[in-house]
Amino acid sequence: MKNKKISYTIAAKDLSAHMFQVTVTVESPAPEGQVFVLPAWIPGSYMIREFSRNIVQARAECGGQPVELTKLDKHSWQAAPCKGKLTVHYEVYAWDLSVRAAHLDQTHGFFNGTSVFLRVVGSEDVPHVVDIQRPAHEAAAKWRVATALKELKAKRYGFGTYIAQDYDELIDSPVEMGTFALASFKALGVQHDVVFTGRVPNLDITRICNDLKQICETQIAFFEPRTKKAPMDRYVFMTMVVGDGYGGLEHRASTALICSRADLPTISQRGKEPSDGYMTYLGLCSHEYFHTWNVKRIKPAVFAPYDYQVENYTPLLWLFEGFTSYYDDLMLVRAGLLSEDGYYKLLNKAVAGVLRGSGRTKQSVADSSFDAWGKYYRQDENSPNAIVSYYAKGSLIGLALDLTIRAKTNGKRSLDDIMRALWQRYGRDFYNGKPRGVTPEGVEALFDDIAGFKLKPFFDKYIRGTEDVPLAKLLPQFGVSYKDERKSTKPSMDVNIGRDGADCKLSAVHDGGAAQKAGLSANDLLVAIDGLRVNGNPSNVEGLLARYKVGDTVQVHAFRRDELMMFDVTLQGDRVPGITMTVEEKKTTPRRPTAA
């Protein structure tokens, strides 16, 4: 007999110990013994995270009587055969303050379903009901609940029962509990809730809602220019505010974000130009919201469906993360929140960041996508020399492809048309009974079809190959100058420098640079340059080197482990890209992407 539903309860058992108490009840368990599995990773963050390590203890009972619960592997359990209702009780330790897992203390509770809800093997496609219970602790007396899950018996923002159509929706709907700041707005008829957890005195939540409304309406109209119809009935922006932090994770009808307090606008700043930090926050919101279409519904075939227990390899993350990174700031321009000049200043940094690392000459974005599980999400001090970011270079590929299509079709086609075609053919009906993902071959065929010409040379050079995208050639056709003015006369060791307490630490040593040639390595602690002490401020090194000219040799003392070493470093010209893109013409044919 197939289960009609799967039921969960989740309670904040101990705020001080950061412990959730969870139960899952199965009305008709598998006769051979029901198997339960916790996901090993969370979609959108491509790394095996072994969430099961946070399950502290688990037990099962059938009809009120204990039954054996056997662990099959690191994330799977099997209950002994049970002729009746089977319930598994377990505790989950929640002390990961990130957008990926779960966190609980006296100030709030947050969880992703991948961290707390065991999957009932064989019953993934039935409705899943969860009872979110109010903590007994006095600190939680005024807590509310924010989630995109549909209310069953709970009232909006209240504790009680919520329902998901299946397991996938359940774990794709994070939950925030606490005394958060809350506001709402409608974007083309759809309610959007904005939630901020953490102390933000005088937060200008009205300004944030007004700005997000413009972003959301711009993106909805982008994908559905005729109907202006959003793909969800309601959306929730959840932001954890901290002293220093940045990140986001997309979900089908919500996003979990983390940001620095200083990045958010205050009421006292009304009428003033937005800060760079606030624009960064809006760009993050734009990025995660764009994912509502691009990766949550337009998906790689290997994500349809997800296998939550192992790596799901795809060479297409340059499309899903890279193109989303291309459109996030572009949508701010189209929404009227970012000037065209401001957009190119952000683009300058993006291009320089990609060109800085030699890894881009060794790894293609297709390989970077495929290797995300083992390389991009497990970066070390040599990563700039070994890998390329499918986010960063993927965004530049999006720009170059957009410009290429616009130029060759005299503005009649663009990357916008490709994104809308992907939406119409793969994304629009993904959760309406047609869960079809796109293959690498399908992507290239669709691009050819919409562009109207063969893009294989482009794919071979810039996506499957490692050539730099030809922005210097493409941009002038659209009235944008492109210059790379490197400070070749500035003496440099060609390293990245960071702090390690009061010490100055080499965080990365670039291939073929002066430091590497002299024998210095990442993680070395600089002590002195030609007998002058190096302090913990990275600018101190730049000041000391400014006393020399390119070609001079300086004596560098550094600690490697606890051993003092000496190196003779012959300084070279600074190789940091100096990218400048500026708009020269206000009227161009075809139009620039910012004007689309």
Side-chain angles (χ1 to χ4, degrees), residues 26 65 77 118 172 270 291 307 326 339 377 388 394 440 458 508 511 537 594:
V26 186
Q65 298 299 312
W77 293 258
L118 288 170
D172 207 7
R270 282 184 179 173
H291 274 315
D307 184 337
Y326 170 54
S339 69
Y377 274 87
V388 66
F458 188 99
D511 268 349
N537 189 342
T594 49

Side-chain angles (χ1 to χ4, degrees), residues 66-86:
V67 296
E68 186 176 2
L69 189 64
T70 302
K71 196 160 190 178
L72 303 178
D73 56 38
K74 57 189 174 183
H75 43 228
S76 305
W77 293 258
Q78 184 171 26
C82 166
K83 295 182 179 180
K85 184 186 296 184
L86 173 66

Side-chain angles (χ1 to χ4, degrees), residues 332-568:
L332 299 187
V333 181
R334 295 183 184 180
L337 298 172
L338 178 65
S339 69
E340 195 172 26
D341 287 341
Y343 171 73
Y344 284 108
K345 287 180 182 178
L346 293 176
L347 197 55
N348 292 340
K349 294 180 181 179
V351 175
V354 171
L355 296 180
R356 181 70 173 108
S358 62
R360 77 186 196 286
T361 67
K362 303 166 188 174
Q363 185 188 51
S364 69
V365 290
D367 286 341
S368 176
S369 300
F370 195 88
D371 293 339
W373 302 85
K375 291 187 177 182
Y376 186 79
Y377 274 87
R378 296 181 183 275
Q379 293 190 35
D380 57 25
E381 65 282 348
N382 192 51
S383 291
N385 300 324
I387 69 173
V388 66
S389 167
Y390 53 80
Y391 282 86
K393 188 176 180 182
S395 72
L396 303 187
I397 287 171
L399 171 60
L401 184 59
D402 200 357
L403 297 175
T404 298
I405 296 171
R406 289 170 184 268
K408 288 202 172 188
T409 64
N410 197 29
K412 294 178 181 179
R413 293 292 176 92
S414 71
L415 189 62
D416 295 359
D417 297 298
I418 286 176
M419 296 308 300
R420 282 190 280 265
L422 284 167
W423 169 243
Q424 292 161 8
R425 299 183 193 183
Y426 293 94
R428 183 183 283 160
D429 295 322
F430 190 89
Y431 293 121
N432 297 319
K434 298 180 180 179
R436 184 168 68 106
V438 61
T439 64
E441 297 76 19
V443 164
E444 191 166 351
L446 182 145
F447 282 29
D448 287 350
D449 180 31
I450 301 303
F453 58 92
K454 292 293 183 181
L455 284 161
K456 185 177 184 300
F458 188 99
F459 274 73
D460 286 344
K461 288 181 180 180
Y462 312 119
I463 296 173
R464 289 184 287 264
T466 60
E467 290 188 31
D468 293 331
V469 293
L471 296 181
K473 177 182 178 182
L474 292 168
L475 284 165
Q477 302 174 66
F478 296 83
V480 179
S481 69
Y482 177 98
K483 297 178 182 178
D484 184 353
E485 298 175 330
R486 306 190 184 205
K487 300 177 182 178
S488 57
T489 61
K490 177 183 175 182
S492 169
M493 293 198 297
D494 204 13
V495 295
N496 290 354
I497 296 175
R499 285 180 180 270
D500 186 2
D503 295 317
C504 186
K505 179 180 180 179
L506 300 186
S507 56
V509 174
H510 290 277
D511 268 349
Q516 189 187 70
K517 290 178 178 179
L520 282 157
S521 298
N523 299 322
D524 287 350
L525 299 180
L526 296 186
V527 176
I529 296 175
D530 269 358
L532 293 177
R533 180 176 177 269
V534 172
N535 62 35
N537 189 342
S539 64
N540 172 243
V541 174
E542 188 172 337
L544 291 173
L545 294 182
R547 296 175 175 275
Y548 302 88
K549 64 180 185 298
V550 174
D552 286 349
T553 298
V554 296
Q555 191 176 77
V556 175
H557 283 82
F559 274 109
R560 182 172 300 169
R561 300 179 296 278
D562 58 349
E563 299 178 11
L564 183 63
M565 303 178 70
M566 190 272 288
F567 306 87
D568 290 324

